[in-house]
Amino acid sequence: EVVLLTLSSWAKTILKHPLTIFCLIPGIIIYVVCNQIDGPHQQYFSEFEFIVEFVIWWFGLGVLSSVGLGTGMHTGVLFLFPHIFKVC
């Protein structure tokens, strides 16, 4: 219950922040709308999505490695091998 209250309080604070209201939410709306429209800009959206996925993948790998899931076969099976298969 304490965790839920903390997460709820944190979410309310984030959603009320001016950066979220004036930059993040309109940016997400513009991205979703522009991604639905066909055109030459779709190439850039695909590249952007690949880069975001790549960064999140390796950031997640770094975080999980720092908490002890980064030894030997665990890292290879969960992160590195699927990434190698996707890239190659």
Side-chain angles (χ1 to χ4, degrees), residues 11-71:
K12 288 177 186 176
T13 303
I14 295 294
L15 289 175
K16 290 180 182 178
H17 195 277
L19 183 65
T20 304
I21 295 171
F22 296 114
C23 295
L24 188 63
I25 292 174
I28 291 171
I29 292 171
I30 290 170
Y31 171 78
V32 169
V33 169
C34 289
N35 201 17
Q36 299 299 320
I37 300 171
D38 290 334
H41 63 280
Q42 288 298 323
Q43 168 188 344
Y44 300 111
F45 277 98
S46 296
E47 189 173 328
F48 174 74
E49 290 169 357
F50 177 77
I51 290 170
V52 168
E53 182 180 322
F54 183 81
V55 168
I56 289 173
W57 181 270
W58 287 104
F59 182 78
L61 176 62
V63 168
L64 290 175
S65 294
S66 70
V67 296
L69 192 63
T71 58

